[in-house]
Amino acid sequence: MDKLISMLPGFIVAFAISFVLTPITRKIGLKYGIYAVENKRTVHHGRIVRIGGLAIYIATVAGILIFSKADHSMLMILLGGTIVFAGGFIDDMYDLKPMIKMLFIMAGALVPILFGNVLLHSVSLFGHKITIESVSYLISFLWVIGVPNAINLIDGLDGLASGISFIVLTTFCVIGSFSDHYHTAYIAAILAGAVLAFLPYNFYPAKLFLGDCGALFIGYMIACLSLLGFKTSTFISLGFPVIILFVPLEDTVLAIVRRKIKGQKISEADRSHLHHIIMYKLGLSHEHTVLLLYLVTALFAVSAIVLYFSVFYGAIMIAVLCIAAWIFIELTGMISPYFHPLIGFMRRISGHPKKSDRAFFEANRINHR
């Protein structure tokens, strides 16, 4: 608890800077007409400024430079983060082609990996150290480009990406305070403060969006911090970032699989993301959908914390959550209305759930629309 309390100065200063800059950022966006573009994936209407990430970026960098002993690795992370932020900011203003934006993300990822030694070198499995030098660069690279895109993909409802990111960062702080990664946890606290100050402007009905600059920068920092915090930990600890980031990572993987099955481009927008499914198929309101996904993220975050103290109980909790998530994926047809192996197995064994033309869930319908 003392370690958590000692992180408050950085958290408060970053919060204050972001709190002051967020409305200024909105005024800048209004003045220069930097609005979010409506498409078939978005659910917002009207002119909403989409460069809110500018306030978060400045507050985070300022907080790190003031309170953190920015060693070479951290300086390379900030340099790479600046490249990623710049790519997102340009995209928010001029709508870059997806490949051009990806090049910014890839360049930003390579900086800490190649020049800052931000790598996953080895893991320990049941007391045995396993060196993964041959694939460490590839794994680290895929992780640092994957998480920003995952956070960006779930930024489809007001307050969703920013709220989930705050929960993830807070969990990093808690786990870091109990482990030997206090420095990494402190930086997570600084970023969490910047995000929290922005959240009231971003929550429904949003006055300001993160934009690609904000979502990509936050995702990039989360990816790099997770590598710093867990790169030398045990096999179980290696899974912490994946567990905590379950919602955005799951949504991203399903989106890739779904679009491949349908013959679509991976970058092509659709309304089959997790938040769209909850809103349109389950009928929840905008706010309730966001709050539900906050709850799911919090449950996975708690399971990661429990896992740190008790592998047995943490593993049980994670298994239950994953089974529940998988059943939901099959019921709602998030991958395909014809893909439901677990429900199909249950149907063959017990005869339930039965199929019907009027079934509420896709997996239980005889004819799929």
Side-chain angles (χ1 to χ4, degrees):
M1 182 59 70
D2 290 341
K3 288 185 177 180
L4 281 174
I5 294 174
S6 68
M7 298 177 197
L8 281 177
F11 176 90
I12 292 171
V13 169
F15 179 95
I17 295 173
S18 180
F19 184 80
V20 171
L21 292 180
T22 296
I24 296 175
T25 299
R26 182 169 181 265
K27 290 180 180 179
I28 293 172
L30 290 172
K31 180 178 179 180
Y32 293 100
I34 310 173
Y35 306 119
V37 177
E38 294 183 41
N39 55 43
K40 64 181 181 180
R41 179 184 167 218
T42 59
V43 297
H44 78 274
H45 300 286
R47 300 188 302 176
I48 302 177
V49 174
R50 61 172 180 175
I51 55 169
L54 177 61
I56 293 174
Y57 169 77
I58 295 174
T60 301
V61 173
I64 291 174
L65 293 179
I66 293 170
F67 291 97
S68 171
K69 294 179 181 178
D71 57 12
H72 181 70
S73 293
M74 182 48 57
L75 290 175
M76 291 301 100
I77 289 174
L78 289 180
L79 177 58
T82 300
I83 295 172
V84 171
F85 170 81
F89 193 80
I90 295 171
D91 181 64
D92 289 332
M93 292 191 294
Y94 301 111
D95 291 319
L96 295 174
K97 291 182 179 180
M99 191 60 219
I100 300 298
K101 184 168 60 176
M102 179 58 74
L103 288 175
F104 275 94
I105 300 171
M106 293 168 68
L110 287 173
V111 171
I113 291 173
L114 296 179
F115 305 108
N117 196 33
V118 181
L119 287 166
L120 187 68
H121 294 288
S122 63
V123 296
S124 296
L125 181 60
F126 304 119
H128 299 284
K129 186 175 181 180
I130 301 175
T131 301
I132 57 171
E133 292 290 348
S134 59
V135 292
S136 61
Y137 284 93
L138 177 61
I139 293 174
S140 302
F141 179 70
L142 292 176
W143 178 255
V144 179
I145 67 171
V147 176
N149 281 289
I151 297 297
N152 199 28
L153 274 178
I154 63 165
D155 190 25
L157 295 182
D158 298 355
L160 183 57
S162 52
I164 285 178
S165 296
F166 176 74
I167 295 170
V168 169
L169 291 163
T170 302
T171 310
F172 278 18
C173 292
V174 172
I175 295 177
S177 68
F178 287 107
S179 66
D180 297 326
H181 303 291
Y182 173 79
H183 180 62
T184 303
Y186 202 126
I187 296 169
I190 290 170
L191 180 55
V195 172
L196 183 60
F198 169 81
L199 187 55
Y201 288 87
N202 188 225
F203 199 77
Y204 184 83
K207 301 180 181 67
L208 188 63
F209 288 157
L210 278 173
D212 280 14
C213 65
L216 293 176
F217 175 72
I218 293 171
Y220 168 88
M221 291 298 295
I222 288 174
C224 289
L225 290 177
S226 64
L227 283 181
L228 280 179
F230 303 111
K231 67 180 180 180
T232 58
S233 299
T234 64
F235 173 77
I236 294 298
S237 296
L238 178 62
F240 282 168
V242 177
I243 297 166
I244 302 166
L245 288 161
F246 178 86
V247 171
L249 292 179
E250 172 260 359
D251 193 41
T252 301
V253 171
L254 292 182
I256 293 172
V257 173
R258 179 176 64 249
R259 291 168 188 175
K260 281 293 184 181
I261 290 174
K262 293 181 178 180
Q264 298 174 333
K265 294 180 180 179
I266 293 177
S267 60
E268 188 174 342
D270 61 30
R271 279 198 172 189
S272 296
H273 287 284
L274 182 57
H275 49 276
H276 293 132
I277 294 294
I278 295 173
M279 279 188 68
Y280 299 123
K281 289 192 176 181
L282 302 189
L284 267 66
S285 67
H286 195 127
E287 306 100 304
H288 288 162
T289 299
V290 172
L291 291 174
L292 176 60
L293 290 174
Y294 284 178
L295 175 61
V296 173
T297 302
L299 288 173
F300 274 97
V302 170
S303 72
I305 295 172
V306 172
L307 185 67
Y308 181 83
F309 293 102
S310 172
V311 173
F312 177 76
Y313 290 110
I316 290 176
M317 188 173 179
I318 292 166
V320 170
L321 289 172
C322 287
I323 291 172
W326 184 256
I327 291 174
F328 177 84
I329 290 168
E330 289 192 14
L331 283 173
T332 55
M334 281 190 69
I335 297 177
S336 166
Y338 303 99
F339 180 79
H340 38 74
L342 181 57
I343 293 173
F345 176 76
M346 293 168 58
R347 189 177 286 124
R348 288 191 295 272
I349 297 298
S350 65
H352 295 281
K354 295 184 178 295
K355 284 194 171 187
S356 168
D357 280 324
R358 298 182 178 181
F360 181 76
F361 288 109
E362 291 283 347
N364 296 333
R365 290 178 186 166
I366 295 176
N367 299 307
H368 302 283
R369 286 181 278 180

